[in-house]
Amino acid sequence: MKTSLFILVCLILSGCSREFVEGMYDVDYTPSNRFAKNLAPLPGQYQKDTDALDNLMTQFSGDIAKRWGNDDIKMAGAKNYVKYTDDYLNRSNIDFDNGTVTIETIASTDPKQHLRHAIVTTLLTPDKPGNVDLFSSKEIALGGKPFLAGQVVDQNGKSIEWSWRASQFADYLIAHKLQKRQVDFKTSYYVTIPMVKNHSKLRSYQYADIVRKASKKYDIPEDLIYAIIKTESNFNPYAVSWAKAYGLMQIIPRTAGHDVFNIVKGKSGMPSPEYLYNPANNIDTGTAYFYLLEKRYLKGISNPTSLQYSMISAYNGGAGGVFNTFGGGKTSAINSINHNQPSQVYWALTKKHPNAESRHYLEKVTRYKKEFHAMK
């Protein structure tokens, strides 16, 4: 999380100007915005009082550093869920790539009780991303099916879906799995819970109907949609990125979201984070953007396999990155792509693309696509 640490240090040192916050978090100050709604006790408060938002964001970053120190700051990302509670004394960190849930407290008074509460809260956190404020220590309203149901099991191998089972498991963890470490001259009491081996597949199953519907609607292969979600967020519905991307398919409102709203859906403006934290909206928007790439931005590529390679690359690095790989201009680049075999197009996009992330992105998506195709 070096990037997250950099962002928070910048927040602290820069005084967290409005321009810096907007640039990092895409805040639009309207009551429909998830962050504005969670941060403002009165609707529209920060439309006029931008200094109040500056102060609040500075306080948020400062409270984390004050509690945990500058060397142990963790923030939510695309493939990890991080939530602070209890005035920043408790922290939950779900690492979806490594399949671990780490819950810890630095409370100095009755730390085991604080940790127990944090464990129960984490295990029972509902599958409602829009209702969980990742950028404060606000408590989570529990209720409904837990997000981690089936993905974490207790000492008896049972799924945790009820408060009594979560409480019993918390007691077991504290009695048998409790660990300690030093955090900024404080003692952290923590437990690490392994997720079940197929936790990623279990999350993917939740979205089967949504993926199938989007696939039929936009004529985009289901295995491609699954592969993109796996690559972008590993099926983390709480995914948020410093690059201002939200949700399962990591949609950036100002770019892909804006284009889908304006061109495909005939709507003005762009989707809010709250809109994109709805899995159905997110997958529909991401798949619609693939439709745009296929029918508009990369139109003219004749070979369907070459077109798909180009679409995958463009989802990460933009159509311009694809064109730059093959000469720069759209027309000449498409002509060059059409004069190459699909294997040559793949080689160029994974070896010569100007952006290293985009080169690796195509490799990962292609690999995951084969895995999901084999699961059919």
Side-chain angles (χ1 to χ4, degrees):
M1 294 298 292
K2 291 183 178 178
T3 302
S4 299
L5 176 58
F6 168 76
I7 291 170
L8 281 172
V9 170
C10 289
L11 283 168
I12 296 167
L13 296 179
S14 68
C16 197
S17 69
R18 177 186 178 187
E19 290 76 14
F20 188 88
V21 173
E22 289 174 332
M24 284 298 174
Y25 292 108
D26 200 24
V27 178
D28 68 7
Y29 302 105
T30 62
S32 63
N33 180 276
R34 184 175 75 95
F35 301 126
K37 185 168 65 175
N38 283 330
L39 295 173
L42 299 175
Q45 174 182 345
Y46 295 113
Q47 286 180 295
K48 296 180 180 180
D49 190 2
T50 58
D51 286 341
L53 180 59
D54 286 349
N55 293 335
L56 189 55
M57 290 301 291
T58 301
Q59 179 181 335
F60 167 67
S61 57
D63 283 346
I64 296 173
K66 180 175 64 178
R67 294 294 198 190
W68 297 83
N70 289 321
D71 294 331
D72 206 326
I73 294 172
K74 290 182 173 65
M75 288 277 286
K79 296 183 180 180
N80 69 306
Y81 164 99
V82 178
K83 178 69 176 101
Y84 293 87
T85 55
D86 197 8
D87 195 23
Y88 298 92
L89 291 172
N90 301 339
R91 179 170 70 192
S92 300
N93 181 12
I94 304 174
D95 185 331
F96 294 101
D97 273 350
N98 292 319
T100 58
V101 180
T102 301
I103 307 163
E104 58 186 322
T105 186
I106 51 174
S108 58
T109 303
D110 201 2
K112 290 183 180 180
Q113 186 59 35
H114 283 264
L115 182 60
R116 185 181 189 277
H117 176 72
I119 293 171
V120 171
T121 297
T122 302
L123 294 173
L124 297 180
T125 294
D127 192 8
K128 298 177 181 179
N131 293 340
V132 177
D133 185 1
L134 298 177
F135 298 95
S136 79
S137 65
K138 184 179 179 181
E139 293 294 323
I140 299 170
L142 304 182
K145 185 175 181 178
F147 164 62
L148 289 175
Q151 299 176 60
V152 171
V153 295
D154 67 9
Q155 71 274 23
N156 299 313
K158 302 294 185 180
S159 177
I160 303 162
E161 301 186 33
W162 307 102
S163 60
W164 65 267
R165 191 179 291 279
S167 297
Q168 285 185 356
F169 189 39
D171 291 337
Y172 168 83
L173 290 169
I174 292 171
H176 300 281
K177 302 294 182 180
L178 185 65
Q179 299 183 69
K180 299 178 184 179
R181 67 187 183 96
Q182 291 303 117
V183 176
D184 195 38
F185 305 106
K186 303 179 182 73
T187 299
S188 165
Y189 294 82
Y190 70 98
V191 296
T192 297
I193 310 168
M195 302 176 75
V196 298
K197 289 184 178 180
N198 64 336
H199 63 91
S200 182
K201 289 182 180 179
L202 289 175
R203 289 194 302 280
S204 73
Y205 296 155
Q206 300 178 47
Y207 310 113
D209 290 341
I210 300 173
V211 170
R212 189 177 301 114
K213 181 179 178 180
S215 173
K216 291 180 178 179
K217 182 177 180 180
Y218 299 108
D219 195 26
I220 301 296
E222 288 185 36
D223 53 9
L224 175 57
I225 300 172
Y226 279 118
I228 292 294
I229 299 174
K230 171 76 172 177
T231 305
E232 290 287 347
S233 67
N234 203 349
F235 300 95
N236 170 20
Y238 294 87
V240 60
S241 168
W242 63 269
K244 301 169 289 185
Y246 304 99
L248 292 163
M249 296 186 76
Q250 286 291 273
I251 310 298
I252 299 177
R254 294 182 186 273
T255 54
H258 177 273
D259 288 355
V260 168
F261 261 35
N262 285 260
I263 301 172
V264 179
K265 298 183 178 298
K267 296 181 179 180
S268 60
M270 58 187 174
S272 67
E274 184 179 19
Y275 178 91
L276 293 174
Y277 273 118
N278 178 300
N281 294 340
N282 191 283
I283 292 173
D284 179 85
T285 302
T287 308
Y289 187 65
F290 263 105
Y291 173 85
L292 275 179
L293 289 171
E294 179 182 22
K295 303 297 184 183
R296 187 181 181 103
Y297 301 134
L298 298 171
K299 183 179 180 181
I301 299 177
S302 55
N303 185 284
T305 304
S306 296
L307 175 59
Q308 193 169 106
Y309 289 151
S310 301
M311 291 162 58
I312 294 169
S313 182
Y315 191 88
N316 176 261
V322 174
F323 299 149
N324 287 336
T325 304
F326 291 93
K330 178 178 180 178
T331 301
S332 62
I334 289 178
N335 287 335
S336 178
I337 292 172
N338 288 336
H339 280 88
N340 281 279
Q341 295 296 317
S343 59
Q344 295 172 309
V345 173
Y346 179 86
W347 182 89
L349 289 172
T350 57
K351 303 297 182 184
K352 298 179 63 179
H353 193 288
N355 184 279
E357 180 184 341
S358 296
R359 295 196 294 270
H360 298 311
Y361 188 85
L362 177 56
E363 293 174 338
K364 287 189 289 187
V365 173
T366 304
R367 182 173 70 253
Y368 290 145
K369 185 175 182 293
K370 291 179 180 177
E371 293 176 6
F372 283 108
H373 185 78
M375 290 169 56
K376 287 185 177 180

